[in-house]
Every structure is written in C-alpha cells, then in structure tokens.
Amino acid sequence: MFEGKHVTLTISGSVAAYKAATLARSLQRAGATVRVVLTAAAARFVTPATFAALTKQPVLTDTTWWHDDGQIAHVELADWTDLAIAAPASANLMAQFANGLANDVASATWLATAAPKVVVPAMNSHMWQAAATQRNRQRLLDDGVTVLQPATGALAEGYAGTGRFPEPADIVRQLEQLELFTPQTLRGKSVIVTAGGTRERLDPVRFLTNDSSGKMGYAVAAAAQAAGATVTLITAPTRLTPPAGVTVVPIQSTAELAEAVLTRFPQADALVMAAAVADFQPLTAADQKIKKTKDNDELILKLKKTPDILAEVAKVKRTNQVTVGFAAETQNLLANAQRKLQSKSLDLLAANDVSRADIGFNSDDNQVTFIQADGSRDQTPKTSKQMIATALVARLAAILETK
Ligand code: C5P
C-alpha cells in the first residue's frame, strides 16, 4: 500500500518520540519514502540527525525553516506529501492542528497539506481525557483527519492509563486497513449529490417529511470527494456533519431542491440524487399555524404532485453527463427500479428494499442492486453505506469514462 508513496512524518514533543524512528523504518520497509518534520519540543527528545540518517532525506525543523535560499520549505513538503502522519502527536500539536495554527514548521506544513492526514496521539491519560483534547479530537475528525486511538497501559509517569503511543507495528497495521489512498477516478470532475428527506410546509410550524437520515447521500458525497471530485452537496436538514471540503447547499422543500439542482446541473459532470424527495406537497401552505377548533374533528389536507427533478434534469442532460438515482421500494423492487431508470433517463440506479428494517432508511447499512442503462445488474452484499457509496462512485467513474 505504501509502495512509491511520499509520507511526511511529523514528530512532536513526547517521550514516545524515539519510537517514531521505528515507525519511519517500518513505513520505508513497506515501500514509502519518508520525510520527517520535528517540532521544537520533539528536537529536545530526538535529534534531526537520527531521522536524516534513517530516511536519507533532509529533516525539517524550526531552525532549518525559512532560510535565505528562496525555498518555501513547508509548502514544498506539503505539495510533495501523499500521506501526512503526526506520530507521536502531543496534546499541543493536536490543538494546533485542530485550530488551524501555522506558527511553527510542523503546523504550517500540516495546514498546507491537502493529502490524507492521520494523527496518532500520545500523551498523559489525564491530558488525553481533558475536555479540550477531546474537543480537538472531534474537530480533527470533522475536518476529515483520521485520529487513531492511543493505547492503554503503562505511562511514563509511572501509572497506567490511556494515552500510550501504540506500537509502530500496530500503527502500520491500522494504516493499512484505512484504505488511505483512494484511486482518483473522479479527479477534475464536478459531482452534485443530493441528500436527506425534503420538508413540505403545512404551516409555519409543521411539515410533511419522510424517514430519510441523509446517511447514504453524505456517504456518496464523501466517497466522490475522496475519489478526487469537486462535490456540491445539496442537502435537506439532517443530523449529519457534511464531509470537509464539499460545498454545502442547504434546502428544505422539493421546490428549493429542484431549483438548486437545475441551476447547478449544467456545470456538473454528474448528479447523484440520493435525496428522498417528497412526491406530494400541500396545495397551499398556511401563513399562520393551523388551529384546532371545537368543530374540526377532521382536517383534510389537499396535496399536489411535486416536480420530478430527475425527469426535469433528463430534459436538459447532455450526452456526456451522468445521472444516478436511487429507488427505495417496498415491493416489486427490480421491476419498479428498471422502469424508473428508463423514465428518468438514468445511467445508473441503486435499488434498495426499504421494507427491510436492517437496511435502508436511517440504518447504517444498506444493500442495493445497481442497475445500469445497458441492462446490467449486480447486487452488493449487505454492508455499510460507506462501502455502498464507494461501489457507486466506482461505477459512476467507469460510466463517465465511456462518455
Ligand atoms: O420517488 P422515486 O422513487 O421516484 O425516486 C427515485 C429517484 O428519483 C431518486 O433518486 C429521487 O431522488 C428522485 N426523485 C426526484 N424528484 C422527485 C422524486 C424523486 O428527482 N420528485
């Protein structure tokens, strides 16, 4: 997995800094070229000479940064990097990263790096558990950084706790499982993803909606972004945090979703409609809260059809654009899905059976049958929405290739 990859290893002030030498060697043995950044605090525990000799590469420290040779060393290193690993990452380094500081060579390089990032914390257990550190950890996760769990065991302070630097072999094993290097099959492509259940207003305090959590659409947005696409996520309200780096367009109703999609679609290469769009909306939305009175034992709502967005998109779709739909069905799954694919001129449709409680709406898992315009079908196993999203993006990229 590391064959030919450029790994930047940032080492901060920690007793565990000496273990980073073994980590650097393990990464090299796995095929990576490793370049090391030492914080000022790290340089009090380990020396640049150790890492320069091990990696056969210059080591960047605060004292070698900003020379009068015209090099912008932190940006040069950031651009070179395929994977950035901070290990050991002290509480201070995590705080710098989480807050976007660039006040030393380690944080400036990190901030300038667009490559996937992994933090391997190492600190005293109380420092690890401190609210501020946990807040910084969450921020890093929200920014798309992978934060490994520190190990539990003997600490340098003489007592046991959680905060130990994991063994280098464990770190490499965990990194290998992360699939950090996603093939950039959508590089240069612009992809719109819609997500969540639309809300159709009845009155200022009530709306009609559905059980969609938005998880599938958010997973597709993240997978498309990981594959190198520029992603616009048009989203109905959800409880989810959008993937870092995607452009988020919040909408509520089907009409707003239709307008957001139709204005952006001409500039896009692909559209994935994962939103659960209401089929009907109230004929009129009341200006004031609908009141119950002693006479109205029944309230009759009149609904009208919403615009079918994919059908509208089909009318303006160019031959080099790809559209992907979802079909959530409770019966006759494949027959209904096939009909949708044709009526909406889709290239790909992911059909799922929402009558099953273990998959579909709100669940973390899903199982879909992909149906393509050429009639081919393949069914995924029941798996996470992330895996389904990756499978969908792979098919989307392959279809775009043929356009
Ligand atoms: O609701 P239906 O099962 O027809 O949805 C199939 C696909 O069509 C989904 O991808 C959904 O996002 C999209 N859709 C749409 N406009 C609607 C209803 C659904 O684009 N009004």
Side-chain angles (χ1 to χ4, degrees), residues 19-206:
K19 291 191 185 173
T22 311
L23 178 60
R25 285 299 289 134
S26 308
L27 290 166
Q28 281 179 296
R29 254 185 242 117
T33 305
V34 179
R35 284 170 69 178
V36 168
V37 182
L38 291 183
T39 65
R44 293 165 64 183
F45 289 90
V46 288
T47 70
T50 308
F51 289 93
L54 278 177
T55 62
K56 313 274 188 299
Q57 298 287 335
V59 170
L60 203 49
T61 65
D62 282 340
T63 41
T64 58
W65 192 25
W66 286 126
H67 274 295
D68 51 9
D69 55 4
Q71 297 290 319
I72 305 175
H74 61 292
V75 177
E76 187 273 320
L77 180 56
D79 290 345
W80 173 88
T81 304
D82 295 319
L83 173 66
I85 306 176
S90 64
N92 186 66
L93 193 71
M94 286 179 67
Q96 284 177 290
F97 290 172
N99 288 286
L101 295 187
N103 56 346
D104 62 5
V105 70
S107 56
T109 307
W110 188 266
L111 193 64
T113 305
K117 293 172 177 162
V118 180
V119 163
V120 188
M123 64 195 76
N124 169 268
S125 54
H126 302 306
M127 292 169 84
W128 171 248
Q129 277 146 14
T133 303
Q134 290 304 313
R135 201 161 53 234
N136 290 333
R137 172 183 172 271
Q138 189 56 49
R139 272 202 171 177
L140 290 169
L141 293 173
D142 292 346
D143 288 346
V145 176
T146 302
V147 183
L148 300 191
Q149 190 60 22
T152 302
L155 300 171
E157 293 77 358
Y159 51 86
T162 298
R164 260 174 76 87
F165 189 59
E167 290 310 316
D170 270 350
I171 296 174
V172 174
R173 231 189 328 274
Q174 289 190 57
L175 292 175
E176 278 169 348
Q177 282 165 7
L178 286 172
E179 292 186 25
L180 291 158
F181 305 111
T182 312
Q184 297 294 289
T185 49
L186 291 178
R187 189 188 290 277
K189 302 291 181 195
S190 151
V191 178
I192 300 172
V193 181
T194 68
T198 58
R199 293 179 172 182
E200 310 303 331
R201 282 271 149 214
L202 286 170
D203 71 15
V205 294
R206 302 186 182 94

Side-chain angles (χ1 to χ4, degrees), residues 176-298:
E176 278 169 348
Q177 282 165 7
L178 286 172
E179 292 186 25
L180 291 158
F181 305 111
T182 312
Q184 297 294 289
T185 49
L186 291 178
R187 189 188 290 277
K189 302 291 181 195
S190 151
V191 178
I192 300 172
V193 181
T194 68
T198 58
R199 293 179 172 182
E200 310 303 331
R201 282 271 149 214
L202 286 170
D203 71 15
V205 294
R206 302 186 182 94
F207 50 79
L208 298 175
T209 190
N210 56 62
D211 276 327
S212 171
S213 61
K215 285 177 189 165
M216 194 62 243
Y218 278 54
V220 171
Q225 148 122 329
T230 307
V231 178
T232 303
L233 175 63
I234 306 178
T235 177
T238 72
R239 293 169 183 275
L240 308 173
T241 307
V246 310
T247 303
V248 179
V249 179
I251 54 92
Q252 298 224 354
S253 65
T254 302
E256 287 169 10
L257 177 61
E259 150 138 23
V261 169
L262 289 165
T263 54
R264 287 167 180 79
F265 183 66
Q267 295 85 46
D269 295 298
L271 166 69
V272 181
M273 282 288 296
V277 185
D279 290 326
F280 294 94
Q281 68 185 86
L283 204 55
T284 52
D287 287 343
Q288 304 297 331
K289 185 179 167 191
I290 300 169
K291 291 287 209 189
K292 65 177 176 213
T293 64
K294 57 179 174 10
D295 309 321
N296 66 355
D297 284 344
E298 286 181 352

Side-chain angles (χ1 to χ4, degrees), residues 194 196 254 257 271-280 305-313 324-329 340 343-344 346 349-350:
T194 68
T254 302
L257 177 61
L271 166 69
V272 181
M273 282 288 296
V277 185
D279 290 326
F280 294 94
K305 260 203 182 133
T306 54
D308 189 321
I309 301 168
L310 278 175
E312 295 300 315
V313 164
V324 182
F326 278 79
E329 302 287 346
K340 260 174 212 171
S343 67
K344 303 187 189 214
L346 299 173
L349 188 121

